[in-house]
Amino acid sequence: MKILKFGGTSVGTVESIGAVLEIIKKSHEAGERPVVVLSAMAGMTNLLTRLATEASEGKDFVDGLKEMELRHFSVVKRLITVKRQNPVFTRLKIYLNELEDLLQGVYNLRELSLQSKDLIVSYGERCSVLLVSKIAEQYFPAVGFVDTTELIQTDSHFGSAHVNQPFSEQAIRAYVAERESELLFFTGFIAANERGRVTTLGRGGSDYTAAIIGSALGADAIEIWTDVDGMLTADPRMVKKAFSLPVLSYTEAMELSYFGAKVIYPPTMIPAFLKKIPIVIRNTFNPEFAGTVIQYDSGRTSLPIKGISSIPAISIINVMGGGMVGRTGFSGRLFTLLAREQINVVLITQSSSEHSITFAVHPADAQRAKALIEAEFELELQANKLSEPEIEENLSVLAIVGENMKQTPGMSGKLFHALGRNGINVRAIAQGSSEYNISVIINHDDLAKALNAVHDAFFAKLNKTLHVFNVGTGNIGSTLFRQIRKQHSFLLDNNDIEIKVVGISNSRKMLFHEDGIALDDWKEQLQESGEQADLEVFVSRMKQMNLPNCVFIDNTASELPIQHYEGLFQSNISVVTCNKIANSGRFDQYRLLRDTARRHGVDFFYETNVGAGLPIVRVLRDLMMSGDRIVRIEAILSGTISYIFNNFTGDASFYDVVKTAQELGYTEPDPRDDLKGTDFMRKMLILARDAGYPLEPEAVQLGAILPDACISAASVADFYRELKAADAHFDALKQKAQAENKVIRYIGKLEDGKVDIALEMVDGSHPFFALSGSDNIISFTTERYKERPLVVKGPGAGAEVTAAGVFADLVNVGA
């Protein structure tokens, strides 16, 4: 025997009812003996509740009744043959007339008791089950419609009644035994007290009905058919990566359900748990999917946790005071009071000093709970032994659940690391001694971010998603987008990383899309759909979106984005930048940004500040972190200057080499911007600071390449005239180098805390002698690399390698 329970969405439309009947047919044809439990049509219980409330307020309810009639009658017309329709219309009309009389009574009295409300909403199930059973009569030889108010007995706690299990099970067994040949359709959710007054079983009561019937009949399984593929690892509306769990234990399922998972109602599992009957969660609209089996134990699994659940709206009440310390029975007195007044306490935590107790309740109960506490402890409050209870609102509960958590080290650490790295403040913590659950209370506004961050942290087989906001769409930005698009599949398949560019801005337009902007046509999207660019708004919107693993990429050379770096770090947003200005300005700013990023547990990566795509900053950081000591750094960190001196050989004049470099695009429009060495100076300054020296820009000794007349020329044309006039000066340098079998190099040096950049002549024993093209090169002499320095060499300029350096920094965020 198998119990098949179908929820409101499963019987909400003509198409879904057709799907339900197909599922029942397959069960019947497989030799199973299905017993069917149905809910009211989707939205019908809410409609009836609203009509009852409006009637008690003296408002008209006729239109709502017509809506109910139309929905049921339209199904009759579509799914029942004409000759069978009249009896069904008549039965439904009787129910609707009874309902109208009840609503009229409420309207006349202007009073709605819980008893009356239970009776009114019961017609949702009665109409639904009658309707579907009559449709089923066309396909099955014997069908029975069962009103569970005649079989399931409860107490008189209207709205959420408690079941008399022994009496109900005996009545169900006797009823079913007399109708073994019939396919029975039971109303879910509704029951009656010993006087026959209709009661309801609370939220998810139809699931409970199915479990009661399954327990009574000793069913082999209870199948709960709904509109999702079983129980998922998290709420799919907030966590798009959530996936179905094949198996859960009763304990795990109850923990997840208690903390907000709405797929199954916690009391449902108690009758099944006692009889060890498996509960299977299936999807009416995807019947081929196996769903989730809830059973006595969850079996072997590699998952560290089974799921992440949440209660979106919660309030906490803090009770504090010296009068609590050492007072035996204080907690009992407090929580007995709340239990007596039917206030459900979701979570409790108490300081080890016994000076405070914090507990969570549903927001609707918070003010009443506070008033009750103030009344109960009036004397203690007057004597200043207790402080006035404090209510904190706009909070949520997040809970991780799983049997594998028990005695598994690191579960709490992983949870709090994921939350802390994303700037999510934990207001309270609770963990039961069973270790099946760790619950935290956080700000409601952080809930979606927290769920996604924790989901990524615990389900390692899933991809880590980096949410990117990029400013600057020039050569580097455009090239970066192309590289990300090209590498997307590789990162997913081999590194479990997914990059979503969710914000793009240049000086004209900005564009946002929380699910990611398609990078194959981002230019068209930005132009056609983008709004007017505003950096303040861009940064503000990024913070408001509050996404996990958020990264701000600065692909500009502007000072404006740098003004926002500190605020971004304070909002737990990492920064990746090729913009040198932040790190090469005043030392105080450099230190502030590094310290702020470290304090908030986010990354500040700027590899491309020094050597484009070359791993220079990272190598220096690794040397320092591993305890090595820098003795000397020598470097050529200008691709432009490197190209010029590498080609200043033979008969070529310095003027010709510079002119050719400009024509090939190696220099800025004004070559002096490169040849002054200012950019080189900034790079050496950043290296010196990363090596631990608090230098200011003016401390760098910057040797000149050009004569003063070239530097002070009024225009680029004048510069070239002066450069031509200086040929003799540069030829003399070249001839001297050739005579000594040396080459000219513009070298930066860091030694003993001092930075010098100057023209030098080096021989064949020097690692910079064989430099070619526009390559950069850097030599690290350290305590470990003293005899043979560590050398990094390669292209130090160009959009491809610079974008690749930004890309490498990006994929290392959070690593």
Side-chain angles (χ1 to χ4, degrees):
M1 178 171 285
K2 184 180 288 185
I3 311 299
L4 307 181
K5 179 267 172 177
F6 295 92
T9 53
S10 298
V11 292
T13 65
V14 168
E15 292 74 20
S16 62
I17 292 172
V20 166
L21 291 172
E22 284 300 315
I23 292 166
I24 297 170
K25 284 180 190 176
K26 286 183 180 179
S27 176
H28 197 270
E29 290 166 359
E32 298 169 349
R33 187 184 172 196
V35 172
V36 183
V37 178
L38 302 178
S39 296
M41 294 178 77
M44 201 54 59
T45 301
N46 288 340
L47 173 63
L48 289 169
T49 301
R50 177 171 61 82
L51 293 180
T53 302
E54 289 178 350
S56 69
E57 296 170 352
K59 297 178 183 177
D60 183 59
F61 52 82
V62 174
D63 289 343
L65 279 176
K66 287 181 179 176
E67 179 187 340
M68 183 176 179
E69 179 179 302
L70 178 63
R71 286 190 62 186
H72 288 84
F73 279 23
S74 62
V75 173
V76 174
K77 293 173 183 176
R78 293 278 300 279
L79 294 181
I80 296 179
T81 58
V82 174
K83 65 179 181 180
R84 291 173 174 263
Q85 287 180 5
N86 279 339
V88 183
F89 283 138
T90 300
R91 289 285 300 277
L92 286 173
K93 196 64 180 175
I94 291 171
Y95 278 148
L96 291 168
N97 289 340
E98 292 174 358
L99 180 57
E100 183 176 11
D101 290 342
L102 286 168
L103 290 169
Q104 187 62 52
V106 171
Y107 178 89
N108 292 338
L109 293 171
R110 299 291 197 275
E111 181 183 343
L112 178 63
S113 66
L114 289 175
Q115 180 176 336
S116 298
K117 186 177 178 181
D118 276 3
L119 181 55
I120 289 168
V121 298
S122 73
Y123 283 90
E125 269 69 21
R126 287 169 166 170
C127 290
S128 168
V129 179
L130 171 68
L131 176 59
V132 177
S133 67
K134 291 302 180 183
I135 297 168
E137 284 181 356
Q138 300 171 115
Y139 306 102
F140 299 96
V143 171
F145 162 57
V146 188
D147 187 335
T148 48
T149 61
E150 299 173 5
L151 298 176
I152 298 179
Q153 187 182 96
T154 69
D155 62 11
S156 297
H157 191 265
F158 296 99
S160 185
H162 304 104
V163 176
N164 182 336
Q165 200 79 21
F167 179 93
S168 301
E169 290 194 4
Q170 184 178 354
I172 291 166
R173 280 194 294 270
Y175 185 92
V176 173
E178 294 176 2
R179 294 164 177 79
E180 287 192 359
S181 61
E182 294 182 21
L183 173 62
L184 298 177
F185 287 79
F186 285 77
T187 57
F189 181 55
I190 61 175
N193 64 13
E194 59 184 9
R195 293 186 297 158
R197 302 290 187 181
V198 172
T199 59
T200 58
L201 303 181
R203 182 179 69 82
S206 293
D207 293 349
Y208 195 11
T209 304
I212 293 165
I213 295 170
S215 176
L217 301 177
D220 296 300
I222 300 166
E223 292 186 354
I224 308 292
W225 290 82
T226 180
D227 55 359
V228 293
D229 290 334
M231 291 194 78
L232 278 67
T233 49
D235 186 342
R237 294 168 300 181
M238 288 192 277
V239 181
K240 290 184 171 58
K241 294 180 186 177
F243 59 91
S244 297
L245 294 159
V247 179
L248 285 172
S249 70
Y250 293 122
T251 303
E252 290 170 332
M254 280 193 277
E255 290 279 0
L256 286 169
S257 298
Y258 180 74
F259 282 95
K262 294 182 174 61
V263 175
I264 193 166
Y265 183 50
T268 297
M269 284 167 278
I270 296 172
F273 176 84
L274 295 173
K275 299 283 183 72
K276 296 186 179 180
I277 301 171
I279 299 171
V280 188
I281 312 296
R282 304 284 298 274
N283 189 343
T284 305
F285 309 100
N286 185 17
E288 303 306 315
F289 192 80
T292 301
V293 178
I294 301 171
Q295 58 189 29
Y296 191 75
D297 62 77
S298 61
R300 296 177 63 85
T301 176
S302 60
L303 296 175
I305 64 172
K306 283 298 182 68
I308 308 159
S309 199
S310 59
I311 302 175
I314 209 77
S315 296
I316 61 175
I317 299 177
N318 298 307
V319 180
M320 296 174 287
M324 297 167 55
V325 179
R327 283 284 303 279
T328 303
F330 183 89
S331 298
R333 185 178 165 194
L334 171 62
F335 294 114
T336 299
L337 165 69
L338 298 173
R340 186 173 66 239
E341 297 297 328
Q342 301 293 313
I343 293 176
N344 183 41
V345 176
V346 176
L347 177 153
I348 305 167
T349 181
Q350 182 173 13
S351 66
S352 57
S353 66
E354 300 183 22
H355 186 266
S356 67
I357 294 176
T358 297
F359 61 93
V361 297
H362 295 289
D365 294 329
Q367 290 296 338
R368 188 161 66 94
K370 181 176 183 290
L372 288 167
I373 294 168
E374 288 172 342
E376 176 71 19
F377 296 96
E378 183 179 4
L379 294 178
E380 287 88 344
L381 288 165
Q382 289 176 354
N384 292 321
K385 291 183 177 181
L386 287 182
S387 301
E388 184 178 345
E390 296 177 353
I391 298 177
E392 294 184 50
E393 298 177 318
N394 195 35
L395 302 172
S396 299
V397 176
L398 180 149
I400 59 172
V401 173
E403 289 185 347
N404 266 11
M405 290 166 55
K406 190 170 187 177
Q407 298 176 348
T408 302
M411 292 292 101
S412 298
K414 186 176 286 190
L415 169 65
F416 294 118
H417 176 75
L419 295 173
R421 180 171 180 82
N422 284 281
I424 298 162
N425 186 38
V426 175
R427 310 298 292 274
I429 305 163
Q431 179 175 8
S433 59
S434 65
E435 297 186 52
Y436 288 143
N437 172 307
I438 302 174
S439 303
V440 296
I441 294 179
I442 59 176
N443 288 329
H444 172 74
D445 294 342
D446 289 329
L447 180 58
K449 181 181 183 180
L451 285 169
N452 281 278
V454 173
H455 199 270
D456 273 5
F458 278 97
F459 297 105
K461 69 176 184 178
L462 300 176
N463 309 311
K464 177 178 75 175
T465 301
L466 297 171
H467 294 95
V468 172
F469 293 81
N470 182 92
V471 292
T473 59
N475 286 340
I476 297 171
S478 299
T479 305
L480 174 64
F481 293 158
R482 178 170 52 78
Q483 292 176 353
I484 291 173
R485 181 167 59 88
K486 184 177 179 180
Q487 201 70 359
H488 185 264
S489 297
F490 179 87
L491 288 173
L492 282 175
D493 296 340
N494 296 278
N495 299 84
D496 299 322
I497 294 174
E498 180 177 17
I499 297 173
K500 287 185 178 181
V501 179
V502 293
I504 297 175
S505 181
N506 55 29
S507 60
R508 301 171 301 281
K509 295 266 192 172
M510 62 183 184
L511 178 69
F512 300 89
H513 198 300
E514 190 166 329
D515 292 329
I517 298 166
L519 295 182
D520 50 355
D521 63 346
W522 66 268
K523 288 184 180 178
E524 291 79 6
Q525 292 183 64
L526 184 62
Q527 183 61 36
E528 295 170 9
S529 305
E531 56 192 283
Q532 184 176 351
D534 185 319
L535 187 57
E536 294 279 350
V537 174
F538 186 86
V539 171
S540 176
R541 191 88 56 86
M542 173 171 49
K543 293 176 181 178
Q544 288 169 7
M545 289 173 76
N546 204 22
L547 297 171
N549 303 316
C550 190
V551 185
F552 177 79
I553 298 182
D554 179 7
N555 279 323
T556 75
S558 167
E559 293 184 2
L560 296 177
I562 292 159
Q563 299 170 13
H564 297 280
Y565 284 10
E566 183 184 1
L568 292 171
F569 295 141
Q570 290 169 346
S571 297
N572 290 85
I573 296 172
S574 294
V575 173
V576 170
T577 182
C578 63
N579 190 339
K580 302 180 190 69
I581 298 174
N583 289 317
S584 60
R586 307 309 301 174
F587 180 78
D588 287 348
Q589 176 180 259
Y590 165 87
R591 172 56 63 188
L592 174 67
L593 294 179
R594 285 173 60 92
D595 289 349
T596 306
R598 185 172 64 250
R599 190 166 60 251
H600 288 271
V602 291
D603 294 312
F604 180 29
F605 289 156
Y606 45 88
E607 184 65 71
T608 51
N609 279 196
V610 176
L614 294 180
I616 294 174
V617 172
R618 187 169 296 115
V619 167
L620 176 57
R621 183 176 65 241
D622 290 347
L623 289 171
M624 298 287 291
M625 290 182 67
S626 65
D628 204 351
R629 191 179 72 83
I630 302 297
V631 175
R632 181 173 60 257
I633 294 176
E634 293 181 280
I636 294 175
L637 297 174
S638 169
T640 300
I641 297 174
S642 181
Y643 173 85
I644 288 171
F645 283 106
N646 287 338
N647 287 276
F648 184 41
T649 57
D651 295 331
S653 71
F654 196 75
Y655 169 90
D656 291 334
V657 173
V658 173
K659 192 75 172 174
T660 301
Q662 184 186 25
E663 290 168 356
L664 292 173
Y666 285 117
T667 75
E668 296 293 332
D670 187 339
R672 287 174 293 182
D673 292 342
D674 298 292
L675 291 169
K676 286 178 184 177
T678 305
D679 188 61
F680 194 169
M681 179 274 292
R682 289 177 177 148
K683 295 176 179 180
M684 288 301 299
L685 181 63
I686 292 169
L687 286 176
R689 288 172 171 178
D690 280 5
Y693 298 105
L695 299 183
E696 297 292 355
E698 55 269 21
V700 178
Q701 298 298 311
L702 183 59
I705 295 174
L706 300 171
D708 290 341
C710 293
I711 294 173
S712 60
S715 65
V716 174
D718 290 343
F719 157 71
Y720 273 115
R721 277 193 291 272
E722 295 293 343
L723 190 62
K724 184 73 173 173
D727 271 348
H729 166 74
F730 289 105
D731 284 344
L733 288 175
K734 181 170 62 175
Q735 290 167 12
K736 183 176 187 298
Q738 289 174 345
E740 297 176 7
N741 291 321
K742 294 179 179 179
V743 293
I744 303 170
R745 297 287 184 256
Y746 193 53
I747 298 174
K749 287 184 180 178
L750 167 65
E751 192 168 11
D752 297 328
K754 297 178 181 179
V755 176
D756 297 291
I757 304 172
L759 284 175
E760 293 188 33
M761 295 181 186
V762 299
D763 60 22
S765 65
H766 197 284
F768 295 177
F769 181 85
L771 197 65
S772 62
S774 61
D775 280 358
N776 282 2
I777 190 168
I778 186 165
S779 168
F780 295 98
T781 302
T782 72
E783 291 290 346
R784 295 174 188 159
Y785 294 91
K786 187 172 285 186
E787 301 301 323
R788 299 180 63 191
L790 173 62
V791 176
V792 179
K793 174 185 173 183
E800 284 291 338
V801 293
T802 303
V806 173
F807 197 174
D809 276 348
L810 173 60
V811 296
N812 278 288
V813 168

